[in-house]
Amino acid sequence: MDTFKRCPAVSVVICTYNRADLLEKTLMSLLKLEDLALAEIIVVDNRSTDHTAATIKRFTVAHGQDIHLRYHYEREQGLSAARNAGITLSKADVIAFLDDDAIPCVTWLQTIMSAFGNNPELTAMGGKIDPKFETERPNWLTGPLELPYTIIDLGKSVCEYPAGLNPFGANMAMRKTAFAAVMFPLHLGRKGDILLSGEESWVFEQIRKNGGTIMYHPHMAVEHFVPASRLTREWIMNRYYCQGMSNAAQAAGLRGNAILMAKVAAKVLYITVDSLLARTEGRKLLNRCRLENIRGTLDTLRNRKSESAAG
């Protein structure tokens, strides 16, 4: 497809790392989107060592006449760095982020354009995320344990996200002006196979501090692949441990560390009480995961103190 003679309505940023086959399915799904001609697609390859580049080249040769697609190789490892590169490259006033293993519904793009076009006060939005499990769903995967798997369904109505809940990177969109003062923090977010997180929550926290509105729209829906390798107790416990590391990474100064330790103490008390009441397999696992979260926080603080003393 020829390059834009005018500014695209939406810049769709897809960051990818060593998931060429899944990425190809995501790219193929874009061809079915309504109003695709009004969007540009930016694929940010975050130092993949598989056949990602070849896959994108093959896709472009076959479908380049049907889609505005640009490829960027980002040398700095990390999801935050990759997203920031996509933001910098984007031409549209609205930036939508889609995971390299997510399949958007046909109205996904149209819903984003309509929502931002009809609501000048809207700063960011997200939508429903349905899981597509590679193998059978574990019986323990219920309730709060769904969030680390980015399973989100806030109902059939448009609404603001409740406090403490934000859109997930697999399916989110923001006005580019939201990044005028801040970008995704490089010390947070996944780096290769390390499951650090917290970068999205930090950005949405800044949006809320600046008075921005964050909306959930059920028609902005995607199907998100969940590989069998993640459907284990070991993976989810490691995910919580890394979240604890991310929590510690966001704490700064005496006040920040004091607040963090107060939260840890409250968690310990809650877990102690809840463990006495836990009966289901899922609830018992959740408390083990919460303990791993605390361990990740304390290990990170301990390592930081050791490095400070050594340095």
Side-chain angles (χ1 to χ4, degrees):
M1 187 179 287
D2 295 335
T3 56
F4 277 105
K5 296 181 180 179
R6 56 184 175 78
C7 182
V10 180
S11 296
V12 179
V13 175
I14 303 174
C15 301
T16 189
Y17 173 70
N18 283 349
R19 295 202 283 193
D21 294 336
L22 290 170
L23 172 65
E24 185 172 23
K25 293 179 180 179
T26 294
L27 292 176
M28 290 298 296
S29 72
L30 299 181
L31 299 174
K32 301 177 182 179
L33 293 179
E34 296 175 356
D35 293 331
L36 177 63
L38 301 179
E40 66 168 351
I41 313 299
I42 302 171
V43 179
V44 182
D45 180 355
N46 197 201
R47 296 181 63 178
S48 296
T49 56
D50 63 356
H51 51 290
T52 290
T55 296
I56 296 171
K57 183 177 181 179
R58 183 173 65 249
F59 176 85
T60 302
V61 170
H63 305 286
Q65 73 279 7
D66 302 317
I67 189 170
H68 301 286
L69 189 145
R70 286 189 285 157
Y71 169 79
H72 173 75
Y73 184 85
E74 176 53 44
R75 294 184 179 279
E76 183 171 358
Q77 189 77 72
L79 182 53
S80 287
R83 284 177 175 158
N84 289 344
I87 294 167
T88 301
L89 290 167
S90 64
K91 297 178 181 179
D93 292 331
V94 173
I95 304 173
F97 294 91
L98 185 68
D99 269 6
D100 58 0
D101 56 358
I103 306 298
C105 68
V106 294
T107 60
W108 184 77
L109 194 57
Q110 187 181 70
T111 299
I112 294 171
M113 290 189 290
S114 177
F116 281 105
N118 295 331
N119 187 353
E121 302 300 318
L122 180 63
T123 309
M125 65 184 296
K128 185 178 180 182
I129 304 177
D130 285 319
K132 183 180 181 181
F133 297 107
E134 184 177 24
T135 56
E136 185 177 355
R137 176 174 180 153
N139 56 14
W140 48 259
L141 209 177
T142 59
L145 288 174
E146 289 186 338
L147 287 181
Y149 291 97
T150 64
I151 301 172
I152 293 295
D153 185 352
L154 299 185
K156 298 181 179 179
S157 301
V158 176
C159 62
E160 285 196 41
Y161 276 83
L165 186 62
N166 300 304
F168 282 84
N171 183 24
M172 63 183 182
M174 295 91 151
R175 292 193 190 276
K176 193 170 185 177
T177 52
F179 301 104
V182 297
M183 299 284 269
F184 285 97
L186 297 180
H187 66 292
L188 297 173
R190 295 191 179 187
K191 294 187 178 183
D193 297 320
I194 302 173
L195 300 178
L196 290 176
S197 58
E199 79 286 2
E200 297 160 11
S201 297
W202 186 88
V203 167
F204 286 116
E205 181 181 351
Q206 307 312 306
I207 288 175
R208 284 193 166 99
K209 284 182 178 179
N210 292 328
T213 300
I214 306 172
M215 183 177 74
Y216 168 87
H217 201 302
H219 296 156
M220 183 186 171
V222 305
E223 191 175 66
H224 190 224
F225 180 70
V226 183
S229 60
R230 295 186 181 183
L231 296 173
T232 66
R233 291 174 175 81
E234 291 75 20
W235 186 90
I236 189 63
M237 290 175 68
N238 182 54
R239 176 68 178 78
Y240 268 81
Y241 179 89
C242 291
Q243 179 61 55
M245 294 173 61
S246 302
N247 293 341
Q250 296 180 68
L254 291 176
R255 184 173 183 275
N257 285 323
I259 292 174
L260 179 62
M261 291 309 297
K263 290 181 178 179
V264 167
K267 286 180 181 178
V268 170
L269 179 60
Y270 178 86
I271 294 169
T272 300
V273 174
D274 196 66
S275 295
L276 298 174
L277 304 173
R279 295 291 181 270
T280 66
E281 185 179 0
R283 193 167 173 184
K284 291 177 181 178
L285 178 58
L286 176 60
N287 282 323
R288 291 174 62 192
C289 288
R290 287 166 171 164
L291 289 174
E292 284 299 296
N293 179 279
I294 292 172
R295 191 168 70 88
T297 296
L298 296 180
D299 284 352
T300 302
L301 293 176
R302 191 180 301 112
N303 292 338
R304 183 191 300 171
K305 186 176 180 180
S306 298
E307 292 171 0
S308 178

